[in-house]
Amino acid sequence: MFRSFILLCAISLLLTWGCMGQRQQRRPTANYGKYLVTITGCNDCHTPKVPGPNGAPVPDASRLLSGHPEKQPPPSWAPEDMKQKGVAAATNPMLTAWAGPWGVSYATNLTPDKETGIGEWSEDTFIAVMRTGKHQGQPNGRDILPPMPWFDFKEARETDLKSIWAYLRTLPAIKNQVPLPTPPGAAQASGGAK
């Protein structure tokens, strides 16, 4: 009877380890990717906002993850005023454009639009971007600028990144040409500062 108990415990332990291994070997799915996009706050910056209850901004579901609206002006900022006020960064009301010591950065269009989004990217390109913090994952590409926390995704499991990619591919393609980042001196010269 004791041997049966030991055998039963051993089988239970093996099954538990096997199930844990299965969970860690999760296959990439769009549903899991949507979950990850939701809990990591991607919509906070990559989705334009509309007024919600009590006037608080909420993500515009009709423009999900389409980035900074192309016709929206950048946030106004003057580095010397920000420094004087102890402010590290400024943003527009939609939270899709940010200004700081790096200049002005705009949230990218993550929809699969081939002209203005990431429709031409491959899964490998997306993973390289998230691992390196470089535009299009190229070693000599421009840096992905704040507030994008790419460094938080750098250590993500490959299945997590593949799931996020799978979800992004399910979004409707939205044509929205996001401006290129503006370096600090150019932001002031172009009227970004008041």
Side-chain angles (χ1 to χ4, degrees):
M1 179 140 165
F2 183 72
R3 281 187 173 165
S4 297
F5 176 75
I6 296 290
L7 183 60
L8 183 60
C9 287
I11 290 171
S12 294
L13 187 59
L14 288 173
L15 286 174
T16 301
W17 282 342
C19 289
M20 287 173 59
Q22 289 287 344
R23 192 170 40 227
Q24 291 176 352
Q25 297 297 323
R26 173 184 286 271
R27 290 173 43 126
T29 66
N31 282 339
Y32 184 59
K34 181 178 181 179
Y35 166 76
L36 291 172
V37 163
T38 301
I39 66 165
T40 58
C42 299
N43 285 304
D44 293 350
C45 295
H46 288 276
T47 299
K49 311 301 180 292
V50 293
N54 302 322
V58 296
D60 181 351
S62 70
R63 299 185 287 172
L64 206 58
L65 298 169
S66 63
H68 177 75
E70 61 188 358
K71 293 187 169 110
Q72 281 283 320
S76 296
W77 70 298
E80 58 281 352
D81 291 343
M82 291 173 64
K83 187 175 181 179
Q84 209 171 46
K85 294 175 184 176
V87 176
T91 187
N92 67 344
M94 290 193 182
L95 307 176
T96 56
W98 293 76
W102 62 87
V104 179
S105 54
Y106 303 90
T108 301
N109 180 349
L110 298 177
T111 73
D113 183 70
K114 290 187 179 198
E115 291 177 38
T116 65
I118 61 173
E120 293 291 326
W121 289 18
S122 69
E123 179 181 74
D124 289 339
T125 300
F126 174 74
I127 290 172
V129 167
M130 300 306 276
R131 297 252 190 257
T132 66
K134 295 289 187 178
H135 183 66
Q136 300 221 347
Q138 300 297 318
N140 60 346
R142 67 175 166 77
D143 291 336
I144 303 296
L145 298 173
M148 176 59 192
W150 67 268
F151 40 83
D152 289 337
F153 291 90
K154 183 171 72 170
E155 302 300 327
R157 294 179 302 187
E158 189 155 319
T159 55
D160 292 347
L161 294 177
K162 287 183 174 195
S163 292
I164 292 170
W165 175 251
Y167 169 63
L168 294 176
R169 303 304 287 177
T170 69
L171 296 171
I174 298 174
K175 189 175 218 45
N176 177 45
Q177 185 62 58
V178 174
L180 292 172
T182 310
Q188 290 176 296
S190 68
K194 286 189 177 180

